[in-house]
Amino acid sequence: MLERIICAGLGGQGVLTQGKIMMYAAYLKDLKVTWFPAYGNEMRGGNASCNVIISDQRIASPYADHPDLVMAMSESAVDLFEEAMASGGKLFVNSSLVSEDRTYRSDLMVIKAPVTEVAQKLNSERNANLCMLGKVIKETSLFDIDFFEQSMCGYFEEQGKGKYNAKNCEVLRAGYAL
């Protein structure tokens, strides 16, 4: 098993955290994992992304040249990573922020989810990244939702942010329900 993943969006959308949570869950599942961030010096508002490689074998490179899965939280994220994706890959699109008229490569599975809108309705717009993770968990076989939720809570507890876990779980499950 080898999953090459890119979490991408704008600085401040939590895409690096998305990747770290996936990395943490994979680690707890005793899988091999790498996490490689990339962001401009403008931080908030500029493009940000991270590569996450999950495997049951040793990983040769931490960079996903041709990702199997891309979580695109913004229009620019689709612009940057759609072309590089492996044929047959899954492109998860934040339809709250990406034009509805946009066309995509025909050899990709495009899964649209209004994650920013859903997070806003839950008074938790900053957690749109977690909402997207919920959708990804539902549409892939990477993790069981209960295991992933438990892993996510453990990650935030280690970061000193465990007090937000109830809301984080609510948003994750809302994404899973999409």
Side-chain angles (χ1 to χ4, degrees):
M1 172 264 244
L2 175 68
E3 281 293 330
R4 299 164 299 178
I5 303 164
I6 291 182
C7 307
L10 302 173
Q13 286 186 302
V15 296
L16 301 181
T17 300
Q18 273 179 325
K20 286 180 180 180
I21 294 168
M22 292 193 85
M23 176 183 66
Y24 189 83
Y27 167 76
L28 292 178
K29 203 173 175 183
D30 206 27
L31 294 168
K32 310 289 189 254
V33 64
T34 64
W35 177 84
F36 187 81
Y39 46 87
N41 59 2
E42 58 273 322
M43 297 298 268
R44 284 206 186 277
N47 291 316
S49 66
C50 66
N51 288 258
V52 179
I53 313 284
I54 299 172
S55 180
D56 54 1
Q57 304 290 316
R58 289 185 69 188
I59 298 169
S61 170
Y63 191 77
D65 289 325
H66 302 289
D68 307 298
L69 190 156
V70 170
M71 286 180 263
M73 295 295 291
S74 67
E75 188 100 29
S76 62
V78 178
D79 294 341
L80 286 169
F81 295 105
E82 178 185 12
E83 257 331 289
M85 290 185 71
S87 183
K90 291 182 180 181
L91 175 59
F92 289 83
V93 175
N94 179 1
S95 60
S96 299
L97 301 179
V98 176
S99 172
E100 188 62 38
D101 300 333
R102 185 181 182 106
T103 57
Y104 301 92
R105 282 179 32 201
S106 60
D107 64 333
L108 298 177
M109 178 185 291
V110 178
I111 302 159
K112 298 178 184 179
V115 296
T116 298
E117 195 176 306
V118 170
Q120 285 172 335
K121 287 179 183 173
L122 295 172
N123 295 319
S124 194
E125 183 176 358
R126 290 187 54 160
N127 287 343
N129 60 335
L130 303 181
C131 192
M132 181 64 87
L133 282 171
K135 183 65 174 170
V136 168
I137 299 308
K138 182 174 186 177
E139 301 293 335
T140 66
S141 59
L142 284 171
F143 303 101
D144 167 76
I145 185 64
D146 294 324
F147 172 81
F148 191 80
E149 182 179 74
Q150 195 174 21
S151 300
M152 178 189 73
C153 289
Y155 170 80
F156 283 120
E157 285 170 16
E158 284 192 10
Q159 300 301 310
K161 298 179 181 178
K163 65 183 178 182
Y164 303 111
N165 276 343
K167 184 55 106 174
N168 292 342
C169 291
E170 179 184 16
V171 176
L172 178 77
R173 292 284 178 163
Y176 188 80
L178 290 174

